[in-house]
Amino acid sequence: MLSVHEVDTTVTPPSVMIDGCSTLPSLFAKRVADLPDKVVIREKDFGIWNEYTWSDFGREAELAGHGLAALGLKRGDVCSIASEINREWMFADLGIICMGGVTNGVYPTDSAEQVEYLINDSGTRFYFAEDDEQLDKVLEVRERCPNLEKIIIFDMEGLRHLDDPMCISFEDLAELGSRHREQNPGAWEAGIDAADAEDLMILTYTSGTTGPPKGAMISQRNMMFMMITLQKSYGIRETDEQLGFLPLAHVAGRMFYTFSIIESKAVVNIVENLETAVADQQEIAPTIHFAVPRVWEKQFSTVAIKLKEGTAIGRAAYQFALGLGEKVAAYRKRGEPVPAGLRLAFGIADFLVFKNVRIMLGIDNCRWLSTAAAPIAPDLIDWYWAMGKPMYEVYGQTECSGIATANFSDDFKIGSVGKAGDNVELVLSEDQEILIRSPGVIQGYWNKPEKTGETIRQDWLYTGDVGRIDDDCFVYIVDRIKDIIITAGGKNITPSEIENQLKFSPYISDAVVVGDKRPFLTCLVMIDQENVEKYAQDNEVPFTNYTSLCHTQAVQDLIWQEIETVNTKFARVETIKKFRLIDQLLDPEDEELTPTMKLKRKVVNEKYLDLITSMY
């Protein structure tokens, strides 16, 4: 049974209700009371999928909330969580929120220096650390974090002999909570009842590509509205299964794995760890799947490489099936019935070829696939459609609590990010900047009124994205305003289009196009380590490490071939004339990368200035 949604934008502030509840805590409590025995979370540990019901979810969150109250948590206090996605993250999160606290997610890849900044900027009193690695970071900086009072550790493996008065285990927090509940019956319910739609609920820090990270303040109302928008965009069912692998510090992870399941009553299956995500996805075979473009690009690369390794007959069968798939997809995109002969031919090809590919990728049971958070090549979306799985691109930002536009199953255009959702106003400024007004637009940035004033003016969110809107009201993202390149010859170029095509190559992980105020375009490339190493081994190219691999002539020639292929798709002024490889293996702890493994354009341009200059 679908939830009942009510949104009234005629009042100030807007009223947002789901099943008669105006706050997340009250809706969560309703789900726990109404669905005590229904499974809501599965998590894989040591190869076994463990199940947790709504009753389990409610009990563990309540114990965490009572435990924090026993430690002195007050309404409005900030608690930070540094962990990969796991059930403890979700239990702690709802415990914090239902007791009136504010949850701030910390990426587990953040450095100790970043942890110090986040704790001090947010005024964090209670800090949750996943394991010894996360604990080491916060212990390193705690002397410089005057507000920090307690560190709670999820996984105590290797820490059994830890003797530190500031640190307790998550199990000990639950025991504290049990005693507090006995001594303060009704405190949990009182915390839930005290919640207000305008309460600050979440802090989500930006990646800080243009200065220190800013804490986006998401209220109860903001997220309740986003839960409704998400449901209207996707039609998530109570019977749906999704795979939980994105970090919960990211607004998309929280939306899909925590708040959408509270709205839809669906199930989230949490991966054992990021290294097992592919195998876990194959095993779970989710019915719906959202991922950032990098994940979809990696899936395409996996298939492309396996085809190169396959037989000539296998490659021919794949190309034949792909041709049929593209014809079938063309009919489906137009909303027209597929001719019987073509449907039969594709059915056979699908069974013999594509079904095995989809099972390998873990998407065979998916009703739909979805992507957002970064630009994606339309050709990649077309590829999934040709394989029989519709993919829909959506658009939004942390600053509007998530999604603002979406392509729908019955109303979409590939290459666009869809139409504005219900109760979302979207217009273009004189400079073609996308402006958004909705109940999802955040309260502002934590402790940064001047930055809030730059981004939110008279309730309008200035997104920083250049866009266009066609006659059918479909929205297209051109690029970030600050990323548009103006060459020395005065040509305006949107680098993201070129970069998307480059990332379509199985050998290119990421790319940054350079050329602002310069005579021609060049490019810095980050290779896909696994696929390029495989290419080198297959072609007997000697190398000793990642750096030496990047400097081999064979790899240089390989990447140039890929760039030349992309160059044929663009006008002469938009072609890449020279390139350089970033020859250091990067991970999210490096300043060049965001937590979602995207290159930061500003940092790359500054750090690799000498390398860029060498191309001119």
Side-chain angles (χ1 to χ4, degrees), residues 6 18 98 129 135 142 150 173 193 223 233 253 264 270 291 385 427 512 542 547 558 578 598:
E6 300 172 49
I18 300 175
C98 289
L135 177 62
R142 64 174 167 177
K150 211 73 175 177
L173 180 73
D193 292 342
M223 190 49 71
S233 300
S264 66
I270 301 174
W385 272 87
V427 299
V512 171
T547 300
L558 171 69
K578 295 182 181 180
K598 291 181 293 186

Side-chain angles (χ1 to χ4, degrees), residues 481-499:
I481 290 174
K482 65 180 185 292
D483 291 344
I484 290 177
I485 291 172
I486 303 176
T487 66
K491 297 291 185 180
N492 282 35
I493 294 171
T494 56
S496 65
E497 291 183 31
I498 305 168
E499 291 160 358

Side-chain angles (χ1 to χ4, degrees), residues 292-368:
V292 296
R294 189 174 184 84
V295 173
W296 301 120
E297 291 158 1
K298 187 65 178 175
Q299 284 200 347
F300 174 79
S301 294
T302 298
V303 174
I305 293 301
K306 287 190 177 294
L307 278 172
K308 290 179 182 291
E309 297 171 351
T311 64
I313 293 175
R315 287 192 292 272
Y318 170 84
Q319 290 300 332
F320 180 71
L322 191 65
L324 291 173
E326 288 169 347
K327 292 177 182 177
V328 169
Y331 281 98
R332 289 177 175 165
K333 290 171 189 174
R334 295 193 299 266
E336 299 174 2
V338 181
L342 177 59
R343 188 168 64 247
L344 176 62
F346 177 72
I348 295 170
D350 184 66
F351 178 76
L352 294 175
V353 179
F354 283 152
K355 187 171 183 65
N356 292 329
V357 175
R358 294 194 302 262
I359 290 172
M360 177 189 72
L361 298 177
I363 61 172
D364 191 47
N365 287 346
C366 288
R367 295 200 319 278
W368 49 255

Side-chain angles (χ1 to χ4, degrees), residues 22 41 68 76 78 105-107 111 181 187 237 254 257 311 337 344 388 401 424 434 442 449 493 512 536 610:
S22 63
I41 299 169
L68 288 167
V78 177
V106 178
Y107 287 101
S111 65
R181 182 173 59 180
R237 303 168 185 168
R254 298 288 284 293
Y257 309 149
T311 64
L344 176 62
S401 306
V424 175
I434 294 173
I442 62 169
I493 294 171
V512 171
D610 289 345

Side-chain angles (χ1 to χ4, degrees), residues 497-498 501-502 561-570:
E497 291 183 31
I498 305 168
Q501 291 296 329
L502 290 169
Q561 288 171 14
E562 299 296 301
I563 291 173
E564 284 280 66
T565 300
V566 170
N567 278 342
T568 62
K569 301 180 180 182
F570 292 93

